[in-house]
């Protein structure tokens, strides 16, 4: 099974709401990633978890809060977002965070902030 | 720091013709190079990678890529394009950051295959 699942597929939220994005993989991968992607642009890395520990936070605003409850799950908690945060949020996983490890991406959550 | 350049925003090709999507890279040390494809409203899909060894790498859906060290290039190719190959293609190079290797993506090339 080479599938990464993400829920929900679409999310519309107001600037005062709190919501969470969820990601799951059952490939035994030990590295998981959150990306933000604007239309027709490359993904921008937000966070990297390696062996369930946060290893990279790419200067992401504190209104985004990641959580890795176990090796298969990754959450992204959202609070007080801005309209410019509207984007496709992609989760990915890889065997480890090694140089030769390809990433497997989920289908993404399309987020609209109103 | 590593970087990747995809010089073409868009590539147009007729169905049945060969296609090439270009990528050049800059990295200190050994390059670890990847190609991903993204169909509309989907996540990225891994196509192929170069680690070491044979300069011609074969991947999914009939795609292949040629690694050229002297030209620091890693062009994606397919002998006969299909309309269904129309998508956004990203080249990436792996680099070390904060104890983990992460990909640096090119800006992407939109491939349009005309019937």
């Amino acid at each position: 099974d080479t599938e990464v699942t993400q829920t929900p597929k679409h999310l519309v939220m107001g600037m005062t709401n709190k919501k969470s994005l969820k990601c799951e993989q059952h490939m035994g991968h030990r590295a998981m990633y959150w990306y933000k992607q604007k239309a027709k642009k490359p993904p921008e890395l937000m966070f990297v978890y390696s062996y369930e520990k946060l290893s990279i936070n790419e200067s992401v605003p504190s209104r985004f809060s990641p959580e890795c409850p176990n090796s298969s799950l990754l959450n992204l908690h959202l609070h007080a977002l801005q309209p410019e945060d509207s984007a496709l949020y992609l989760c990915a996983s890889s065997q480890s965070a090694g140089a030769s490890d390809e990433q497997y991406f989920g289908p993404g959550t399309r987020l609209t902030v109103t | 720091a590593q970087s990747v350049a995809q010089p073409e925003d868009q590539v147009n090709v007729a169905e049945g013709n060969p296609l090439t999507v270009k990528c050049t890279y800059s990295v200190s040390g050994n390059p670890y190079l990847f190609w991903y494809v993204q169909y509309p409203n989907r996540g990225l899909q891994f196509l192929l990678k170069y680690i070491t060894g044979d300069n011609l790498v074969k991947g999914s859906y009939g795609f292949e890529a040629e690694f050229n060290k002297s030209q620091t290039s890693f062009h994606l190719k397919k002998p006969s394009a299909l309309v269904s190959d129309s998508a956004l293609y990203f080249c990436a190079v792996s680099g070390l950051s904060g104890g983990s290797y992460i990909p640096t993506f090119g800006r992407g090339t939109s491939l349009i295959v005309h019937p």
Side-chain angles (χ1 to χ4, degrees):
Chain A
D1 182 7
T2 58
E3 190 179 24
V4 175
T5 59
Q6 289 187 245
T7 55
K9 285 187 169 34
H10 300 275
L11 179 61
V12 179
M13 60 186 290
M15 290 191 282
T16 58
N17 291 158
K18 282 186 183 182
K19 297 285 184 184
S20 296
L21 310 184
K22 297 187 183 299
C23 174
E24 190 167 7
Q25 56 88 14
H26 293 289
M27 294 178 277
H29 288 173
R30 302 313 301 269
M32 296 186 77
Y33 311 78
W34 280 115
Y35 289 89
K36 173 184 178 181
Q37 187 182 29
K38 293 282 197 178
K40 297 197 181 295
K41 299 292 186 185
E44 300 170 31
L45 183 66
M46 300 174 72
F47 303 104
V48 179
Y49 275 84
S50 180
Y51 292 86
E52 297 151 59
K53 287 187 172 22
L54 184 64
S55 66
I56 294 178
N57 175 342
E58 293 285 270
S59 303
V60 179
S62 60
R63 57 186 184 268
F64 295 91
S65 174
E67 179 196 19
C68 188
N70 61 53
S71 60
S72 300
L73 292 173
L74 188 65
N75 298 323
L76 186 63
H77 303 297
L78 314 173
H79 173 55
L81 295 192
Q82 305 296 310
E84 61 265 27
D85 297 322
S86 298
L88 182 68
Y89 287 83
L90 294 167
C91 174
S93 70
S94 62
Q95 185 80 20
S96 68
S100 62
D101 292 328
E102 66 273 17
Q103 294 188 0
Y104 293 85
F105 286 79
T109 294
R110 175 76 59 191
L111 174 67
T112 303
V113 181
T114 61
Chain B
Q2 66 278 359
S3 66
V4 163
Q6 293 181 244
E8 300 152 319
D9 265 343
Q10 186 172 300
V11 169
N12 291 278
V13 65
E15 188 174 31
N17 283 1
L19 69 87
T20 298
V21 182
K22 295 180 181 176
C23 172
T24 58
Y25 67 90
S26 173
V27 63
S28 55
N30 294 324
Y32 295 87
L33 299 159
F34 304 80
W35 276 103
Y36 292 87
V37 61
Q38 186 174 29
Y39 298 99
N41 300 309
R42 302 294 301 275
L44 281 68
Q45 291 180 35
F46 167 71
L47 278 179
L48 51 80
K49 65 182 177 183
Y50 173 81
I51 308 296
T52 186
D54 196 347
N55 289 344
L56 187 62
V57 179
K58 293 193 183 297
S60 307
Y61 313 121
F63 284 94
E64 56 192 27
E66 187 167 11
F67 172 71
N68 187 316
K69 188 173 182 178
S70 62
Q71 297 186 5
T72 62
S73 66
F74 188 55
H75 300 332
L76 183 70
K77 300 177 188 246
K78 188 175 182 183
S80 178
L82 300 172
V83 172
S84 57
D85 292 329
S86 299
L88 188 56
Y89 290 80
F90 292 102
C91 183
V93 63
S94 203
L96 188 60
S97 176
S100 296
Y101 281 90
I102 58 171
T104 297
F105 290 96
R107 64 176 180 170
T109 298
S110 180
L111 173 67
I112 300 174
V113 181
H114 303 277

